[in-house]
Amino acid sequence: MADGVRRRVRRPGAGGRGSGAVGGIPDGHGEGAGGHVGGRGVPAAALGGGAAHGAGAFARRVPARVPVEGWRAAPHALQGARRNAGVAAGVVRHAGHGAVLASLPPGQWTYAWIRDGAYAVAAMATLGMQSDARDALSYYLNADSGRFQHWRELEPYSMPPYIITLTRYHGFGVEETDFNEAGPNIEFDGFGLFLWALRHYERTTGDTTLVDQTWPTVSTKVGDALVALINPVTGLIRPDSSIWETHWKGRQRSWTYTSLTAARGLCDAAELAQRVGDTERAQRYRQAGESLRRAMAEQLTDRNFALASNLEELRKGRGYWDAAVFDAFAFELFDPAGKIAQATYHGLDLRLSSPAGAGWQRNDDRYDHPDGADLSPWGGEYDSAEWVIVSLRGAMAKRMGGDVARADRVLKWVTDQSLKNYLAVAETYDELNGTYKYNTPMAGFGAGAYALALDHRAAGVSDPACGAYFDESTLTKPPDAGTGTLDAGTQQPDAGPQTPDAGTSSDSGADVGGGGCNATGPGAVALWVTMAFAGLAMALRRRGA
């Protein structure tokens, strides 16, 4: 690189973000969008850099209209563009405006995932980036989606019409997924996350016009579709690939993360429905959200009432620890200081605390199959890495639960790491030495989650799902959820002292470990870093934090 500092970013199998994904390097359909965001601090700059700006522009401001005779000379990113109805012959259009990429190069996740995008939208709204947040929400509503409704994998579900992607989008607003030997990734958590982000946007900015203008689509193709995906037998959302993208062919599960995002989203949709005067849906969405939450409490907790990763592994009695369930408390479905929360925190601290860092590994899938008898034998290094998104969501949950010290330790760790690495918020850290691992910089799973955690620390605003936490005194399940032994592990929580990933001091231009630069070399913290963080502080103060 021009500055003489090499970054080491280790990548999992390309194509999908779950364990065992295969495929090629992204083909450019979602490659690095530009755009300047000034005066709002580091997270705002990172989020703005991952958004597509300009009318119809995407992928480094590629023109929105390309004559057919110039097609072969056009950038490769245009080859996936769709031809819009009503466009004059010989002209190709795309609908990339507003898309938020999961990461920018050198990170490989240059696609617009709805999951990452939802956290990014909420963060942009929080930081005062109203137009950017609105553009991103509009992008999802205007995308060429609903393309997988009649796929063979979804035939048992009688999949309803939908508008939010079941995985991700190519940059031109076209729904897309990826495959491996276990089939496609099909994910339902995006529906609830979109509804949460939509209400967060309205509540934070005061802009009611977007929902007013799009409610017929939001209600029929997001809210109604999500209700239709509730399994009448379990009361949970039907099995899917969910946040860790486990693919299909027997790998789909009744994931806690998918159900918790659905419950939160339906509670938020009920509030939106009530405001627009759709009282029937308001009641239906609220009842569905509360029923999902109760089903989680009754069916997805172990004998100590700790939330498990999914129903299938819980029934197996082992290998069910997953830090994604922190969002059940960060999203305020359950009391962050209650019985379910404390049992969950205890299990996650024992099982998933990162040995090198302040946060948590994403799940136990790498180590839960010594005898091959578990339900997730595909686990690997991607699972055992320390994940920034779950760590930041965990910090929010811990803060609300009273463990302010651990919450502050996580935030300081991520801050120090990012300051020593060009302000790039990573996807993951190596759990053994704390160095940057896999993809960076991340938008929603990085800068977005970071901004939300900072705002939560500053403002401390509470917004329980459906107006109140789940009443744990109404639990009817016995204190034993299966035949397996309690899977709580034997190790002690390890969130001790950490050293930021700044590499070793050297003036020779040698490789600096962990994707970072050393604190005394070309990447030393400079005046513009201080000014950027001052901008974030000012943005939070303007919001009355």
Side-chain angles (χ1 to χ4, degrees), residues 118-119 121-127 137 194-206 268 272 452 455 463 543:
Y119 292 102
V121 165
M124 290 190 290
T126 296
L127 292 169
L137 290 166
F194 172 84
L195 293 170
W196 161 71
L198 182 62
R199 179 171 174 257
H200 182 93
Y201 166 82
E202 179 171 301
R203 186 168 59 89
T204 303
T205 67
D268 287 325
L272 298 175
L452 292 173
D455 180 66
D463 180 32
R543 294 191 61 243

Side-chain angles (χ1 to χ4, degrees), residues 448-459:
Y450 179 68
L452 292 173
L454 286 180
D455 180 66
H456 180 262
R457 181 181 66 179

Side-chain angles (χ1 to χ4, degrees), residues 29-388:
H29 289 311
E31 194 168 272
H36 173 73
V37 179
R40 299 188 184 93
V42 177
L47 291 167
H53 296 273
F58 190 79
R60 298 176 182 166
R61 301 183 183 276
V62 172
R65 301 166 65 93
V66 181
V68 167
E69 58 269 21
W71 176 255
R72 295 190 180 277
H76 177 65
L78 282 176
Q79 294 180 10
R82 62 186 175 92
R83 299 177 183 274
N84 289 350
V87 177
V91 173
V92 176
R93 289 184 183 272
H94 62 74
H97 179 67
V100 179
L101 305 182
S103 71
L104 294 174
Q108 76 178 87
W109 301 136
T110 50
Y111 296 83
W113 264 274
I114 176 61
R115 185 165 42 250
D116 302 62
Y119 292 102
V121 165
M124 290 190 290
T126 296
L127 292 169
M129 301 166 64
Q130 179 174 336
S131 61
D132 299 272
R134 183 183 174 114
D135 286 346
L137 290 166
S138 298
Y139 169 82
Y140 303 127
L141 293 173
N142 294 325
D144 182 2
S145 194
R147 302 172 70 226
F148 309 147
Q149 180 184 357
H150 302 295
W151 276 21
R152 180 172 61 252
E153 289 83 356
L154 295 174
E155 287 178 356
Y157 294 177
S158 299
M159 187 69 190
Y162 68 92
I163 193 65
I164 300 301
T165 181
L166 299 187
T167 306
R168 62 191 187 186
Y169 304 91
H170 277 313
F172 299 102
V174 179
E175 182 181 28
E176 191 263 354
T177 189
D178 62 285
F179 296 78
N180 68 9
E181 69 281 357
N185 272 315
I186 300 175
E187 305 151 26
F188 301 143
D189 53 292
F191 290 53
L193 286 168
F194 172 84
L195 293 170
W196 161 71
L198 182 62
R199 179 171 174 257
H200 182 93
Y201 166 82
E202 179 171 301
R203 186 168 59 89
T204 303
T205 67
D207 177 16
T208 61
T209 61
L210 180 60
V211 172
D212 290 342
Q213 294 165 6
T214 61
W215 183 247
T217 297
V218 170
S219 59
T220 58
K221 292 192 175 182
V222 188
D224 292 357
L226 187 52
V227 172
L229 286 170
I230 297 175
N231 187 331
V233 177
T234 64
L236 305 168
I237 297 298
R238 294 181 183 276
D240 72 327
S241 306
S242 199
I243 181 173
W244 305 134
E245 300 199 325
T246 56
H247 292 266
W248 216 250
K249 294 186 178 178
R251 292 187 176 187
Q252 64 269 37
R253 302 277 185 266
S254 298
W255 295 100
T256 298
Y257 183 80
T258 301
S259 285
L260 74 86
T261 56
R264 177 74 229 198
L266 287 169
C267 286
D268 287 325
E271 295 294 327
L272 298 175
Q274 191 68 44
R275 187 189 63 73
V276 302
D278 193 344
T279 55
E280 185 276 329
R281 280 195 172 92
Q283 181 179 8
R284 179 153 50 93
Y285 291 164
R286 184 170 292 107
Q287 289 177 345
E290 291 177 342
S291 295
L292 272 168
R293 178 165 59 179
R294 176 166 291 279
M296 290 171 57
E298 298 282 358
Q299 298 199 53
L300 290 174
T301 55
D302 69 8
R303 67 178 65 184
N304 284 341
F305 296 97
L307 277 171
S309 177
N310 58 74
L311 181 63
E312 292 78 11
E313 286 183 321
L314 179 61
R315 287 175 172 173
K316 186 77 172 178
R318 59 174 296 178
Y320 55 72
W321 294 105
D322 183 351
V325 306
F326 270 130
D327 254 328
F329 314 106
F331 279 141
E332 298 188 78
L333 290 163
F334 301 97
D335 182 353
K339 175 171 61 177
I340 293 174
Q342 294 305 315
T344 304
Y345 301 161
H346 179 69
L348 294 176
D349 286 347
L350 285 173
R351 274 294 188 181
L352 300 182
S353 283
S354 176
W360 293 269
Q361 301 163 325
R362 81 177 189 182
N363 59 45
D364 61 2
D365 286 354
R366 182 179 183 184
Y367 300 113
D368 66 351
H369 49 271
D371 57 4
D374 68 288
L375 295 181
S376 51
W378 53 77
E381 288 188 41
Y382 211 27
D383 299 285
S384 62
E386 178 182 345
W387 277 70
V388 171

Side-chain angles (χ1 to χ4, degrees), residues 421-509:
N421 286 280
Y422 297 99
L423 305 180
V425 185
E427 176 185 45
T428 51
Y429 306 134
D430 189 291
E431 70 275 19
L432 298 180
N433 57 35
T435 56
Y436 270 41
K437 192 175 185 179
Y438 300 128
N439 296 278
T440 190
M442 298 295 287
F445 270 26
Y450 179 68
L452 292 173
L454 286 180
D455 180 66
H456 180 262
R457 181 181 66 179
V461 177
S462 181
D463 180 32
C466 283
Y469 297 134
F470 175 75
D471 185 354
E472 295 180 349
S473 69
T474 65
L475 276 168
T476 60
K477 63 170 284 181
D480 188 351
T483 58
T485 57
L486 178 62
D487 183 16
T490 57
Q491 63 269 45
Q492 293 298 311
D494 186 353
Q498 303 84 24
T499 301
D501 175 24
T504 55
S505 180
S506 171
D507 296 323
S508 65

